[in-house]
Amino acid sequence: MNTSATSLTVSEYPRTWQRYTMGQRLLRFALYLVVVAAIVQALRSVEVIPEFLYDAPEQMADLLGRMWPIDWAYYPEGVHGALMETLHIATLGTILSVILAVPVGLLAANNLTPNRLINQFARLILVSSRSVNSLVWALLFIAIFGPGALAGTLAIAFRSIGFVGKLVGEAIEEAQRGPVEALTATGASSGAVLWYGYWPQIRPAFWSIVLLRWDINVRESAVLGLVGAGGIGMALDTALNLFQWDRVALVLAAIFAVVIVAEVIITQARKRIL
């Protein structure tokens, strides 16, 4: 009798499947409305001028015509040295960032630093580093040390601390506890636990992080010269100010070639090291 009553109740009130509830639909609609309003407001603040858009293809064709043919003869005189300086800035900045970021990353890892105050302070340092753009760091160091490659190197280093430290800290937090607990049980020191317990596990991730950051820094250091922080960006800025479009094309081609070569080097290094 109870079974028939249950069957009768289910038949009288059949269930219908709905992908979203009414509350979820209203929330999605509100989200879409906010996105559309943000896009409209952004377009209004950008102040797009239709006449410039119509004229853009013609202006682009004229600019490309001024860039061709490329002044290849200017490379030994005005581009090669600046290009090498850019690579030096990226390399030294990456090395300095690793030296500074690894201790902060260790302090930011919860399983290595149980002190919440120290842990949060280390995370604040990492966030502060990432929140400031490389060009802003460059302007700050130019005000302190003057224009040149030193300001660019320090800008790359301080910008990279947050990136390297955050990923190193996350790699340590994801390490397996088994080897660490085994070393701790034998009475190993903190240094031994870190070197023999954590390092073998995070070594592939560490080198991957360093190589990736160097690749990014090569790209970022190419534009630091626009604010006077050394590198090929200074050659680009000079050519732009003098309207030497054939030399602008040469600098852009050199930057593109360096980026491609850096990508190939990173790919091959990852295959052989990792």
Side-chain angles (χ1 to χ4, degrees), residues 4 75 77 101 108 134 137 141 145 158 160 213 215 220-221:
S4 60
Y75 178 82
E77 175 188 351
S134 299
W137 279 117
F141 287 116
F145 301 104
F158 276 74
S160 304
R213 190 63 220 185
D215 186 28
E220 292 194 353
S221 60

Side-chain angles (χ1 to χ4, degrees), residues 51-256:
E51 290 78 10
F52 288 174
L53 291 178
Y54 300 149
D55 192 42
E58 182 180 349
Q59 295 296 330
M60 180 63 70
D62 178 67
L63 182 62
L64 293 177
R66 294 171 184 267
M67 288 183 173
W68 189 264
I70 300 176
D71 187 9
W72 298 107
Y74 182 67
Y75 178 82
E77 175 188 351
V79 177
H80 180 75
L83 189 61
M84 294 299 102
E85 187 176 63
T86 296
L87 294 176
H88 296 160
I89 290 173
T91 303
L92 292 177
T94 303
I95 295 173
L96 182 58
S97 71
V98 171
I99 295 174
L100 297 175
V102 169
V104 182
L106 296 178
L107 295 177
N110 291 322
N111 52 348
L112 281 183
T113 308
N115 189 306
R116 184 173 180 82
L117 182 61
I118 297 177
N119 186 265
Q120 293 300 320
F121 179 71
R123 292 177 182 269
L124 178 62
I125 294 176
L126 299 180
V127 172
S128 301
S129 170
R130 297 197 309 274
S131 62
V132 180
N133 189 271
S134 299
L135 292 176
V136 178
W137 279 117
L139 290 172
L140 292 175
F141 287 116
I142 286 174
I144 299 173
F145 301 104
L150 176 60
T153 302
L154 293 176
I156 289 295
F158 276 74
R159 168 66 171 175
S160 304
I161 289 175
F163 181 92
V164 176
K166 176 179 173 58
L167 294 183
V168 168
E170 290 180 350
I172 292 175
E173 289 178 345
E174 295 174 358
Q176 299 294 325
R177 293 292 304 170
V180 176
E181 292 176 352
L183 288 168
T184 304
T186 61
S189 63
S190 299
V193 171
L194 186 62
W195 183 252
Y196 296 104
Y198 285 103
W199 172 244
Q201 299 187 63
I202 71 168
R203 181 170 50 198
F206 174 80
W207 289 117
S208 179
I209 293 166
V210 172
L211 292 174
L212 176 60
R213 190 63 220 185
W214 180 79
D215 186 28
I216 296 173
N217 288 340
V218 170
R219 292 165 169 79
E220 292 194 353
S221 60
V223 299
L224 291 182
L226 295 176
V227 296
I232 198 171
M234 298 186 69
L236 177 61
D237 185 54
T238 301
L240 286 171
N241 292 332
L242 297 176
F243 302 105
Q244 298 171 334
W245 299 111
D246 52 348
R247 294 183 178 181
V248 170
L250 174 62
V251 174
L252 294 178
I255 294 174
F256 179 76

